[in-house]
Structure formats: structure tokens, C-alpha cells
Amino acid sequence: MDVRPSGIHHVTAIASDPQANADFYLNALGMRLVKKTVNFDSPETYHLYYGDRAGNPGTIMTFFPWPGSPKGRLGAGQATTTSFSVPEGSLGWWQRHLAALGVEATRPAERLQEDVLTLRDPDGLVLELVAAADTHDTDPWDGGAVPVEHAIRGIRAVTLTEHDPEDTAAMLNGRLGFRLAAEEGDRLRFHTGEAAAGVGTVVDVLAAPGADRGLVAAGTVHHVAYRAPDRPTQDGWRRTLADDGIDVTEIRDRSYFTSIYFREPGGVLLEIATDGPGFDYDEPLLRLGRDLRLPPWLEPDRAEIEARLPGLVVPEAARDGA
């Protein structure tokens, strides 16, 4: 079993201020807030999900915003960059849009024949916009701050920074079924299939033997999730990983998908998440992200949970495309 047909499901990172986080991803990046819930394991903080209109797998960026969280440190054993796919010819528009908002963005030299714009979110999380002629089966959000012709299509890639990439590359190329597609300097590029043809199909492994070990806190990625189409496939994944001696968790219910977690040899936390049941599981598509949603086992504590959470205002236009 492998994840080649599907690629990335979501990327989850740590933030500090939930309002600053929402303002950036809604207004600067033009994504849709598709779910406002809590960290099921630590319900004193939000879990915010951003994506396309329906929160399709491959478009989802999620955050645990911990007010007062210390600053993280980028380094080895981390997913250090998250790259979003935007339409070809869009980076000029994005530069002007971000500059108008006071967001610093740089356009480095072309990398692996890609045109890339690099920026950081309010907590310093490193992001890229990649102008790519990819095939997309997503539904870009047309109700936000970014015109649909320039809107983010999904997460294209993540970059894993490693002291020694050999064992990580072996896992990607072997057990996880990725294919080595290109090499440039210290960067190895893997695809989840025969070609990088859609969202979430690329993972770069960057060799950084002299880098400090990364510290996961505000401004860093917590984990990267890959897709399983259904629960039986996920069950098979779990058995295969366990049989290979990988320390893999039990299957955990996240309401909108189920998950298993394990670490690759360099230390990056990976997840296999099911495509369903999806974000319209507990609220209609047109109302995604409007209200605080809780799983059934936390509903009895709703009043206490709401009292502990910080304020978060999401403009009507960002919620509904008004």
C-alpha cells in the first residue's frame, strides 16, 4: 500500500495569536476558514482549518494557536517550508497584493524550473507560492480577498530538512512509495506518482548536516498528513508500518477524518488521514467555519471550553463569500 495516487492531506502548524493567524490566512492568502474547532487532545486551544471552498484534501492548512506560545526554531528534523500552488502568471499579482498589506515577500532565483515567491506568516512560518501548471481537482475559494483567477489551488509540497537525508529518502522511496524525481545541490525532490500533476504531490528533502535541531513551537510545522482514501486502506497502512517495526499510533477519531501518526527516520511527525467523512460532516457547506464545532465527547463541556478560548472574529465576507 502507498499514498502515491493522493499525496498530502493537510499540514498542521503552531501559531500564537488566533486572531492574527485568521486575519493572515483569510485576508493575505485568501483561504476559507472551513472549520473552527478545538485541539481534541488539548481543548483549551482552537484548531483552525483553512482550505478551498469545501476543504478538499490537499488544500488544508491547519493551526493550533496557543496564545503566549514561545517562538519555535527552524532546523533539522522538521518540515521547514510549506509550498502552495497558484496559477501560472500569478506571482506578480501576489507580490503587489502582499506588498499592499505590508507582508514582505521575496522572489528568489528559479528553483528546479519553478517560479517561487517566499514569505512568512505572523509567527514566522515559512511559506512559498509556486506558480505551477499543475492539474487541480480542487475548488478554489472565490468568496475571499483573492480573486479566483489568482487563488491558491492547494498545498503543492513540503520541504523536510534533515541532518542526514539518506534514511528519510529510503523511507520515502521505499515503504511510502514515493519516486525520486530530481536533485539540485542539497535538495532531493520526490513525487508521489509518475509526475507532479496535482496538489500535494511533491516532497523535497533538504540536507543540512550542520543545522541545529529544530524546536516545534510557534512558527513551525507540527506534522504533515498524507491521504488514505478510506478506513480499510488506513488499517492496512497501520499494519504494514507496525510489521516493519515503526512506532505507529492507534487510529484516532478526528471527526472529519481518522488518523494514525508515526515519525520518519529524521524525526518529522507524519500522519495518514482518511479523505472522509469531510468538513461538511457536522455543518452545511455554506456555513463551514461559522460556529465553534465540538466532537460529541466534548459537547458536555462546551460552556467551559468556550469560556477558556480567546476571542476570534471572522468577518462575514470571509465566512460566506458575501
Side-chain angles (χ1 to χ4, degrees):
M1 293 188 176
D2 58 56
V3 294
R4 282 179 292 179
S6 301
I8 290 171
H9 185 282
H10 66 270
V11 174
T12 293
I14 308 295
S16 53
D17 177 37
Q19 189 67 60
N21 181 262
D23 289 345
F24 180 84
Y25 285 88
L26 298 175
N27 299 323
L29 294 193
M31 302 176 79
R32 185 184 189 188
L33 181 65
V34 296
K35 193 61 59 180
K36 180 172 65 173
T37 182
V38 295
N39 183 326
F40 289 1
D41 300 319
S42 300
E44 65 271 16
T45 190
Y46 287 111
H47 194 174
L48 304 178
Y49 292 77
Y50 307 97
D52 69 355
R53 175 181 294 276
N56 283 301
T59 72
I60 307 160
M61 188 81 193
T62 97
F63 287 89
F64 302 135
W66 293 93
S69 173
K71 181 76 172 175
R73 181 179 64 243
L74 293 177
Q78 281 187 335
T80 50
T81 304
T82 303
S83 304
F84 294 99
S85 180
V86 298
E88 286 188 297
S90 291
L91 292 191
W93 183 91
W94 276 100
Q95 283 184 300
R96 295 188 295 273
H97 168 70
L98 293 169
L101 296 175
V103 177
E104 183 177 351
T106 59
R107 199 167 180 174
E110 186 181 85
R111 184 188 65 215
L112 290 170
Q113 300 180 332
E114 292 177 333
D115 199 4
V116 178
L117 192 66
T118 303
L119 61 146
R120 291 177 180 256
D121 80 356
D123 289 295
L125 187 72
V126 180
L127 307 171
E128 291 179 340
L129 301 177
V130 180
D134 294 338
T135 301
H136 302 105
D137 58 358
T138 58
D139 186 11
W141 179 225
D142 61 358
V146 175
V148 69
E149 63 268 23
H150 300 301
I152 287 171
R153 268 44 183 173
I155 295 173
R156 186 169 197 268
V158 293
T159 299
L160 311 183
T161 297
E162 308 284 6
H163 281 145
D164 181 356
E166 183 175 347
D167 288 342
T168 298
M171 174 179 268
L172 293 174
N173 205 31
R175 185 177 293 109
L176 299 186
F178 287 53
R179 178 179 63 87
L180 180 61
E183 298 183 46
E184 184 178 270
D186 295 330
R187 185 180 299 267
L188 302 175
R189 170 155 294 183
F190 293 86
H191 291 169
T192 59
E194 290 305 309
V199 296
T201 57
V202 178
V203 58
D204 286 353
V205 178
L206 189 64
D212 290 336
R213 190 77 181 170
L215 174 66
V216 175
T220 65
V221 169
H222 184 269
H223 65 267
V224 178
Y226 283 90
R227 295 172 63 179
D230 50 40
R231 179 69 175 267
T233 303
Q234 185 182 62
D235 286 337
W237 261 107
R238 188 180 184 282
R239 289 193 300 272
T240 298
L241 291 167
D243 288 346
D244 285 346
I246 304 298
D247 185 12
V248 58
T249 68
E250 74 282 2
I251 293 175
R252 298 177 181 175
D253 183 1
R254 301 311 192 191
S255 287
Y256 315 108
F257 46 87
T258 60
S259 301
I260 58 173
Y261 302 86
F262 61 99
R263 292 189 184 273
E264 55 82 26
V268 179
L269 183 62
L270 301 180
E271 173 184 353
I272 305 293
T274 55
D275 281 355
F279 291 100
D280 58 357
Y281 168 74
D282 59 357
E283 58 185 343
L285 179 64
L286 291 178
R287 291 182 60 87
L288 291 182
R290 286 181 61 94
D291 303 312
L292 179 70
R293 309 303 302 182
L294 298 176
W297 61 89
L298 290 178
E299 274 295 346
D301 301 320
R302 173 176 284 273
E304 181 182 350
I305 288 170
E306 289 182 332
R308 290 200 306 260
L309 291 171
L312 177 61
V313 178
V314 179
E316 289 289 336
R319 287 185 283 185
D320 302 325

